[in-house]
Amino acid sequence: MGIIEQEIRKFEKRTCEEDFIFYQAMEEVLRSIKPLLESDDIYRRHAILERLVVPDRIVKFKVAWLNDTNEIEINTGFRVQFNNALGPYKGGLRFHPTVNEGVLKFLGFEQIFKNALTGLPIGGAKGGSDFDPKGKSNFEVMKFCSAFMTELHKYIGPRVDVPAGDIGVGSREIGYLFGEYKKITSKYEGVLTGKPFMFGGSLMRPEATGYGVVYFTEAMLELENKEPLAGKVCCVSGAGNVALHTIEKLFDVGAVPVTCSDSRGSIYDRRGLDLKLLKEIKEIRRASLEEYIKYHPEAEYTPVDEYPDGGHAVWEVPCYAAFPCATQNELTEIDAQNLIQNGVVSVSEGANMPCTPEAINAFLSNDICFAPAKAANAGGVAVSEFEMSQNAAMARWGYAKVDEKLRETMRQICKRVALTAKDYGVAGNYIDGANIASFKKVADAMIHEGI
Ligand code: NDP
């Protein structure tokens, strides 16, 4: 049995059902870094694998809060501080009923490598709660955020751990969390990123992840000698922060995004999506995408339950480039086969690990350019770090400066990943390139910092 298999078996034994998704992410990284481990046994001698797959600490706490009808509700809060070899822990907070320790371990583990790829001084973490902001009043969201921060504030700080947003946590939630932190500690400091601009947020943080995905894809297409996105039909899934800003940047570069989806169904508008209307429906009214066809009856709406076999309507539409931007494991092998048959040239992960391992294998064996999440969606955390720098210096950067730094960061990540893949004999494999480059960076820092 090879060393990778041995390590995987060892961790498999410890894996409980909740940890399944964490195990999926870990297995991908371990398999990718095989050429690096074989080229130098320094990582084995320092037990880097064993140390990296266990979080530094997991904080789990009760969140009790009062709803609008004066009943007490109880949720569970978490912060997984995974690794701070390169800088303070950094990673988003997710509020969604599916949140549990396993999901946050998977996200925190991925975050270590994503943050390392940016080249910025930040470690990896993730947190959140099984609280569902959907259907709650603003007042209830505020009450929950205050109760959540009453516990969380003990474990975070600008040089310790700096959370940001993720699914279910946008600038409204970050604002309430920041307000409570300030009240408890009497400190006005950059302890959270993704804040509204009026109190220390960076310009372009809301746009950063989606814009970054498109910048990365353009850089990858250029390196792989493929045609750019201008004039090309693109399919996007999701209709949240990442999806809407991916769609926005696709229009900016002259592409034609024609699909999007939410948890209830998907839209296909062959003439190009109406982005203004999408923002109105999802960001302002927080309603279902089904509303779209009231204004555009010529578009098609497909409810999720029409696809019980694991396929999804968005990926049946022929396109040049696909951008899964909703959630983990949303793009299955059936979806991948549909995209390949319809001639897709590139797939870029806007969400974290949205493609199943079987889907990824299908893309790689058909020579599709594949941009993995930890590289392609690193723009959000990069601009979060820019926000930390601005807060520390009490400075404000203009839109053009942030945009230029974001674009350059994404181009650099893309080049670094492509070069590493080439150096380790897997040219064109951006998954292996991203995993090897980021693992090496974190592991070397851990070795220098001692046990
Ligand atoms: P949001 O909460 O803003 O949006 C998520 C969107 O996905 C919603 O429209 C939601 O639908 C939809 N959705 C959820 N589940 C499904 C499903 N099974 N099928 C189709 N659509 C679904 O989250 P974000 O846009 O912030 O995050 C999306 C992904 O990107 C996550 O994986 C996140 O971890 C990742 N990410 C986010 C970053 C950021 O800066 N925000 C940074 C890096 C990664 P509905 O409206 O019905 O709830």
Side-chain angles (χ1 to χ4, degrees):
M1 201 187 299
I3 53 170
I4 296 294
E5 293 303 326
Q6 280 174 26
E7 294 301 334
I8 288 173
R9 292 281 145 73
K10 217 174 351 170
F11 301 126
E12 199 173 21
K13 282 198 196 131
R14 296 191 209 139
T15 306
C16 68
E17 206 171 310
E18 253 193 17
D19 267 348
F20 175 77
I21 189 135
F22 167 57
Y23 176 73
Q24 182 185 330
M26 189 188 70
E27 185 173 3
E28 181 207 284
V29 173
L30 296 195
R31 289 199 190 283
S32 271
I33 59 176
K34 194 172 172 193
L36 177 67
L37 298 189
E38 285 175 350
S39 70
D40 193 340
D41 82 339
I42 188 168
Y43 302 110
R44 268 179 77 72
R45 280 191 278 116
H46 287 264
I48 294 296
L49 291 185
E50 288 85 343
R51 289 160 60 194
L52 247 181
V53 297
V54 180
D56 290 348
R57 73 190 55 76
I58 300 179
V59 185
K60 182 174 178 181
F61 49 90
K62 178 178 68 185
V63 188
W65 56 282
L66 211 53
N67 70 18
D68 283 350
T69 49
N70 279 334
E71 287 155 332
I72 298 169
E73 299 214 19
I74 313 280
N75 289 98
T76 307
F78 301 90
R79 186 70 181 164
V80 179
Q81 295 179 331
F82 226 116
N83 184 289
N84 64 353
L86 295 177
Y89 300 107
K90 178 101 198 80
L93 295 171
R94 177 176 290 192
F95 292 167
H96 194 272
T98 57
V99 163
N100 59 39
E101 204 172 295
V103 168
L104 296 177
K105 274 170 71 182
F106 134 62
L107 291 165
F109 184 69
E110 288 287 290
Q111 197 79 41
I112 306 172
F113 304 106
K114 180 186 311 195
N115 294 1
L117 280 178
T118 64
L120 300 166
I122 37 182
K126 202 80 187 188
S129 171
D130 55 359
F131 169 75
D132 188 357
K134 249 190 229 164
K136 305 285 191 303
S137 68
N138 277 343
F139 199 58
E140 287 177 320
V141 171
M142 188 181 79
K143 294 260 223 31
F144 174 81
C145 288
S146 300
F148 184 84
M149 187 50 89
T150 307
E151 271 302 311
L152 186 70
H153 86 275
K154 300 169 193 164
Y155 310 101
I156 60 175
R159 295 289 166 123
V160 180
D161 181 353
V162 185
D166 190 71
I167 291 180
V169 180
S171 61
R172 173 183 64 168
E173 288 77 13
I174 292 288
Y176 293 147
L177 290 164
F178 182 72
E180 187 63 26
Y181 178 88
K182 196 162 55 80
K183 205 178 333 158
I184 297 170
T185 63
S186 300
K187 288 181 183 155
Y188 199 106
E189 56 189 11
V191 70
L192 291 154
T193 58
K195 298 183 290 297
F197 180 68
M198 69 191 96
F199 50 87
S202 176
L203 285 174
M204 270 201 72
R205 175 60 188 90
E207 296 91 338
T209 307
Y211 281 21
V213 174
V214 178
Y215 291 150
F216 187 96
T217 306
E218 294 239 280
M220 175 175 73
L221 290 170
E222 194 182 325
L223 283 178
E224 300 302 315
N225 296 316
K226 306 283 184 204
E227 288 179 35
L229 293 167
K232 300 287 194 277
V233 170
C234 297
C235 285
V236 178
S237 66
N241 173 285
V242 179
L244 293 179
H245 291 108
T246 298
I247 292 168
E248 186 163 86
K249 186 47 74 180
L250 284 171
F251 277 124
D252 273 3
V253 301
V256 189
V258 293
T259 66
C260 64
S261 59
D262 65 14
S263 52
R264 282 170 277 186
S266 58
I267 289 290
Y268 170 36
D269 190 339
R270 66 185 68 243
R271 301 156 317 153
L273 294 161
D274 179 343
L275 181 59
K276 194 162 170 257
L277 176 63
L278 283 175
K279 286 190 172 184
E280 163 80 26
I281 294 172
K282 296 306 295 184
E283 291 183 341
I284 299 170
R285 304 209 310 255
R286 296 177 190 262
S288 158
L289 271 183
E290 197 171 359
E291 301 240 329
Y292 189 94
I293 48 170
K294 283 190 201 155
Y295 301 87
H296 292 290
E298 68 290 351
E300 291 169 29
Y301 176 75
T302 313
V304 181
D305 47 20
E306 281 191 19
Y307 282 80
D309 63 349
H312 299 87
V314 274
W315 311 125
E316 287 186 345
V317 175
C319 65
Y320 181 77
F323 297 86
C325 296
T327 192
Q328 61 263 16
N329 288 333
E330 52 154 316
L331 194 157
T332 62
E333 191 175 9
I334 298 174
D335 297 322
Q337 295 300 353
N338 284 336
L339 282 165
I340 293 164
Q341 270 163 28
N342 285 327
V344 75
V345 169
S346 80
V347 178
S348 303
E349 294 189 314
N352 283 315
M353 214 167 73
C355 300
T356 64
E358 297 76 23
I360 294 174
N361 282 340
F363 291 134
L364 295 185
S365 46
N366 283 278
D367 291 330
I368 309 297
C369 298
F370 184 82
K374 59 173 70 76
N377 74 18
V381 76
V383 174
S384 271
E385 199 279 344
F386 301 164
E387 185 174 329
M388 288 162 72
S389 300
Q390 292 172 75
N391 290 168
M394 301 285 270
R396 287 288 169 116
W397 299 352
Y399 190 92
K401 176 172 175 174
V402 182
D403 192 28
E404 189 42 45
K405 282 177 77 76
L406 170 65
R407 188 192 298 256
E408 191 46 33
T409 302
M410 299 314 293
R411 291 189 78 82
Q412 289 304 332
I413 294 174
C414 188
K415 270 197 210 157
R416 201 173 307 134
V417 166
L419 206 65
T420 306
K422 200 165 159 224
D423 286 350
Y424 284 86
V426 283
N429 186 328
Y430 285 67
I431 301 181
D432 289 353
N435 285 329
I436 295 171
S438 54
F439 175 89
K440 194 167 168 3
K441 200 152 190 255
V442 179
D444 289 346
M446 287 171 72
I447 291 168
H448 281 95
E449 289 172 14
I451 303 169

